[in-house]
Amino acid sequence: MFGDMMGMMGKLKEAQQKVEDTKKRLDTVLLDETSSDQLLKVTITANRTIKDISISDELLEDKEQLEDYLTLTINKAITRASQIHEAELAAAAKEGMPNIPGMDMFK
């Protein structure tokens, strides 16, 4: 029994390390999100850190339009990054989890 418990603890530590490694890797995954007319581009990591914003000169002439573009495009970028972030972390956690009856949290 103790051997099984120690084995499970080791697997849990491995799973935790895989999740941490995945979080670090997601810092290097860059996603580009652009407005439909390509006037604004946002680059974000899968850990939801904005790395770059490129704005067309045309948008600089209209403050209200620029604000709308920023809001829409940044929200789209965050949504996309969040989906990738959550899927990758769930996969890393599931891969390293020991098979404990009744603990199928990651279906």
Side-chain angles (χ1 to χ4, degrees), residues 86-104:
E86 291 166 14
E88 291 287 324
L89 289 183
K94 182 178 181 180
E95 181 182 321
M97 288 296 288
N99 188 13
I100 302 172
M103 296 291 286
D104 291 338

Side-chain angles (χ1 to χ4, degrees), residues 12 14-27 29 46-48 80-97 105-107:
L12 287 172
E14 284 177 33
Q16 185 177 25
Q17 186 59 50
K18 284 183 184 200
V19 167
E20 290 304 315
D21 292 345
T22 299
K23 284 180 182 178
K24 287 178 186 170
R25 184 179 57 77
L26 291 175
D27 276 332
V29 175
N47 274 333
R48 299 170 295 231
R80 232 174 106 209
S82 293
Q83 290 168 344
I84 291 170
H85 181 89
E86 291 166 14
E88 291 287 324
L89 289 183
K94 182 178 181 180
E95 181 182 321
M97 288 296 288
M105 297 181 285
F106 301 106
K107 281 189 174 182

Side-chain angles (χ1 to χ4, degrees), residues 1-16 93 95-103:
M1 169 139 170
F2 248 171
D4 289 344
M5 188 67 105
M6 294 303 287
M8 281 193 284
M9 293 301 288
K11 286 236 184 225
L12 287 172
K13 285 212 177 280
E14 284 177 33
Q16 185 177 25
E95 181 182 321
M97 288 296 288
N99 188 13
I100 302 172
M103 296 291 286

Side-chain angles (χ1 to χ4, degrees), residues 19-77:
V19 167
E20 290 304 315
D21 292 345
T22 299
K23 284 180 182 178
K24 287 178 186 170
R25 184 179 57 77
L26 291 175
D27 276 332
T28 66
V29 175
L30 297 178
L31 306 164
D32 289 328
E33 190 65 51
T34 58
S35 61
S36 57
D37 55 10
Q38 311 296 311
L39 295 178
L40 180 78
K41 180 176 112 177
V42 174
T43 302
I44 190 169
T45 70
N47 274 333
R48 299 170 295 231
T49 300
I50 294 174
K51 290 295 191 178
D52 188 50
I53 296 176
S54 299
I55 302 169
S56 166
D57 289 340
E58 182 180 326
L59 284 177
L60 296 176
E61 298 169 10
D62 185 343
K63 179 182 181 288
E64 190 174 308
Q65 183 182 18
L66 174 58
E67 290 170 346
D68 290 344
Y69 269 65
L70 283 168
T71 301
L72 290 170
T73 307
I74 289 172
N75 282 334
K76 282 182 9 184

